[in-house]
Amino acid sequence: MSDAENTLKNGEIDPFRRPAELSDDGDVNSTHKEDVLSLEHTDPVLHAKMHLINNAIDEIGFTGYQTKLFILNGFGYAVDSLVLLIQSVIASKAALEFHPSYDTALTIAAYCGMLAGALFWGMSADIIGRKFAFNFSLIFCSVFAIVAGASPSWPVLGTFIALCSFGAGGNLVLDTAVFLEYLPSKQQWLLTLMAAWWGVGQLIAGLFAWAFIPNFSCQDPTIFPDAAPCTRGINWGWRYVWFASGALVFVMSIARVSVIRLKETPKYLIGEGKDAEVVETLQEIATKYNRPCSLTLASLEACGIIDSQVRRNSVAHASKRASLAEIGLHLRGLFTTRRIGTSTAMIWFSWTLIGLAYPLYTVLLPKYLESRGAAVGTTSEYIQWRNYAIINMCGIFGPIPAGFMCETRLGRKYTMVIGALTTMVFLFAYTQVRTAAQNLGFNCAINFCLNIYYGTLYAYTPEVLPSAHRGTGNGFAVGFNRVMGILSAIIAEEADPRTAVPIYICAALYVVMALVAALFPFEPRGSRSS
């Protein structure tokens, strides 16, 4: 019996579909795994075609194409964290030159840009496709990152940071979707591992700060009373950070359009009713890497016609793409059933919580380190920024154990629980830091454990969202995260960075995150994304 016949009976899902087959080593044969939302689809024909596409991707297996996507999509992760951290580490030096009335304005500008970028690029991914954002978002970001370094005033700097962040803001939304929709189910854990690129971006930000800020910056008159007035001529350090970052992002953007010529993802194309293009794309990959692919146009057409092709009760698009109805359709699609709606709401809530906890910690961290510098023996600015780079490097390694843990019996859900709770423990312990070694060690541990949770949440989100609405759902999740980032900047402006109260608040939020993760209605381990 063919896959199409096995999945469908008279255009409906066959309730007597054969069970998962076992391979010789006892593992479930990936070409017969259940799709994670298999019982939630409202369009049985679309579900059947998705099932055939998953079978074809599993049959082709992991190739050099996915390896390139892992690296090129990873660039987007790195740029997101790079831009967010740069604006926070250069803010105090730029403020010495511009004397702003609102110190955290740059953080607010960055998160406003990230918010707009997440919503714009996320919804555009569902409306016009994933390919456009993949090719152009980093180029847009790089241009304004370079220009930001030439800013003549605080408001202009904030404007360029917002525009740079707009370009970077869609990458967390698109990178996961593009990589996932080409990824064989056996390697879906790599989506968690890809979050290591977030740590790479943090490390780059820390290294640039370490290289340029101590050597090419004004002295702070509150620390050095005899410091000369801060002028542009002696305060190029923060500008060099932006120039270097912008140049690096530009190189990444060129690599995206030259190393690989990305074709639109098969799961987006199938929602468009473009069955022939789906077959052509997958067959081309199979041929290039000498892999089998039994998917044919006939097998897809045998499933029937999906609603989007007749524009009646469509699950993929409204009658007019550029309309509020189109946006409304994608939002409703995230709440099609009670279980999908519950999952969507809980994911958005999790992103909201970490959107407050993580930025509050990172925005206050440089100030907190400075306020404790004398107590822990790190009076040198050079040592402070060296430690900052080391702390950020530790974030690279968190997603590595997370990637392996999520494929064990812990699954995605309890990997997040462990990541959140261990982060909470170290955050509470951090308030007792008294020495330079403790200060560095606890910060490294926090960054490592935090990225176990964050990296898994990054992967879990697109895995359990319906493919036709994946960009919108992911975009709003990241959007809620950015809203809380703006709120964290306002809190940081009013909070006393010398106290441990913000650290306690962050720790308590991770307890809530762990509880929510444990209650998620879907566990993708052993299943395939829809």
Side-chain angles (χ1 to χ4, degrees):
M1 185 179 290
S2 69
D3 283 317
E5 293 169 336
N6 191 48
T7 306
L8 289 179
K9 182 180 288 184
N10 298 325
E12 298 181 353
I13 297 175
D14 183 358
F16 302 106
R17 179 172 54 242
R18 64 187 176 189
E21 294 182 358
L22 296 178
S23 61
D24 293 336
D25 60 2
D27 291 335
V28 175
N29 188 324
S30 62
T31 59
H32 300 293
K33 284 183 179 179
E34 289 291 340
D35 300 336
V36 68
L37 301 182
S38 61
L39 302 180
E40 308 295 328
H41 272 282
T42 57
D43 187 339
V45 177
L46 179 60
H47 164 58
K49 291 187 177 186
M50 287 290 182
H51 191 75
L52 293 180
I53 290 172
N54 279 334
N55 286 351
I57 293 173
D58 282 344
E59 184 182 11
I60 295 170
F62 194 84
T63 69
Y65 191 81
Q66 284 85 358
T67 300
K68 292 176 183 178
L69 285 178
F70 180 84
I71 296 171
L72 297 175
N73 284 298
F75 288 167
Y77 267 72
V79 169
D80 184 281
S81 61
L82 177 68
V83 170
L84 282 179
L85 261 71
I86 283 177
Q87 60 79 25
S88 66
V89 300
I90 64 95
S92 61
K93 297 304 180 182
L96 292 176
E97 183 179 334
F98 295 132
H99 308 290
S101 58
Y102 203 80
D103 290 343
T104 58
L106 298 187
T107 300
I108 295 174
Y111 275 98
C112 284
M114 288 283 182
L115 169 62
L119 295 177
F120 174 81
W121 298 111
M123 288 188 289
S124 71
D126 287 338
I127 296 172
I128 63 175
R130 283 69 158 137
K131 181 178 178 180
F132 176 80
F134 179 87
N135 287 336
F136 294 104
S137 59
L138 288 190
I139 293 177
F140 189 95
C141 174
S142 67
V143 170
F144 287 103
I146 294 171
V147 174
S151 299
S153 67
W154 188 259
V156 173
L157 176 59
T159 300
F160 288 139
I161 287 176
L163 291 169
C164 171
S165 300
F166 174 80
N171 282 282
L172 292 187
V173 180
L174 267 297
D175 294 335
T176 51
V178 170
F179 189 50
L180 176 64
E181 293 182 5
Y182 275 109
L183 197 59
S185 59
K186 191 176 180 180
Q187 282 81 28
Q188 277 184 205
W189 64 274
L190 287 172
L191 200 63
T192 300
L193 181 61
M194 196 168 74
W197 283 97
W198 172 272
V200 172
Q202 292 177 318
L203 173 61
I204 293 171
L207 291 175
F208 282 162
W210 183 20
F212 295 120
I213 290 181
N215 299 315
F216 303 98
S217 298
C218 298
Q219 291 182 323
D220 189 342
T222 62
I223 301 175
F224 303 96
D226 297 331
C230 188
T231 62
R232 178 170 179 161
I234 58 174
N235 198 40
W236 278 88
W238 69 268
R239 298 179 187 274
Y240 290 150
V241 171
W242 276 116
F243 292 150
S245 300
L248 179 61
V249 176
F250 182 74
V251 171
M252 291 177 175
S253 68
I254 297 302
R256 276 197 168 187
V257 296
S258 59
V259 173
I260 194 171
R261 297 297 177 90
L262 182 74
K263 292 182 177 291
E264 195 54 78
T265 66
K267 293 183 179 180
Y268 176 81
L269 291 172
I270 208 67
E272 300 284 289
K274 298 179 179 179
D275 295 359
E277 290 186 39
V278 172
V279 175
E280 179 185 351
T281 297
L282 293 177
Q283 289 287 358
E284 183 177 319
I285 294 174
T287 301
K288 181 175 181 179
Y289 295 97
N290 195 28
R291 300 294 178 86
C293 181
S294 58
L295 182 69
T296 64
L297 180 59
S299 63
L300 288 175
E301 291 179 341
C303 295
I305 300 175
I306 63 175
D307 289 335
S308 62
Q309 287 173 284
V310 296
R311 302 298 178 194
R312 175 176 52 81
N313 299 321
S314 174
V315 298
H317 294 292
S319 57
K320 291 184 178 180
R321 297 288 183 95
S323 67
L324 292 176
E326 173 79 5
I327 297 173
L329 182 144
H330 289 298
L331 288 173
R332 288 194 304 273
L334 297 166
F335 297 88
T336 306
T337 68
R338 178 178 295 182
R339 203 161 174 233
I340 289 178
T342 300
S343 175
T344 299
M346 293 179 72
I347 288 171
W348 287 357
F349 183 54
S350 297
W351 279 92
T352 301
L353 290 174
I354 200 168
L356 178 61
Y358 178 73
L360 189 62
Y361 172 74
T362 56
V363 167
L364 287 173
L365 179 59
K367 295 180 181 179
Y368 192 69
L369 286 173
E370 289 176 8
S371 70
R372 296 179 67 85
V376 298
T378 54
T379 54
S380 166
E381 188 176 39
Y382 175 87
I383 296 297
Q384 287 183 15
W385 289 112
R386 183 207 66 182
N387 289 352
Y388 193 66
I390 294 172
I391 291 164
N392 288 326
M393 181 181 66
C394 292
I396 298 174
F397 302 102
I400 296 175
F404 290 100
M405 289 164 63
C406 69
E407 284 297 294
T408 68
R409 291 186 178 183
L410 292 171
R412 274 65 161 165
K413 292 164 56 173
Y414 290 99
T415 298
M416 283 186 272
V417 170
I418 291 173
L421 291 181
T422 52
T423 302
M424 176 270 296
V425 169
F426 283 111
L427 278 168
F428 275 125
Y430 183 74
T431 61
Q432 304 304 312
V433 165
R434 294 294 180 268
T435 69
Q438 291 173 348
N439 185 49
L440 178 60
F442 275 98
N443 270 290
C444 288
I446 289 169
N447 228 25
F448 176 86
C449 296
L450 184 149
N451 278 359
I452 292 177
Y453 174 85
Y454 223 156
T456 309
L457 181 64
Y458 279 133
Y460 179 88
T461 300
E463 280 187 302
V464 299
L465 291 173
S467 61
H469 318 294
R470 183 169 284 140
T472 300
N474 216 352
F476 271 82
V478 177
F480 284 120
N481 180 280
R482 304 317 189 191
V483 169
M484 299 310 290
I486 296 170
L487 180 61
S488 72
I490 297 173
I491 294 173
E493 178 72 17
E494 305 300 328
D496 184 353
R498 296 169 296 179
T499 73
V501 173
I503 307 297
Y504 283 123
I505 294 174
C506 291
L509 289 174
Y510 282 100
V511 178
V512 181
M513 290 180 223
L515 178 61
V516 173
L519 297 175
F520 280 145
F522 295 111
E523 173 52 66
R525 185 181 73 87
S527 300
R528 307 185 300 190
S529 66
S530 296

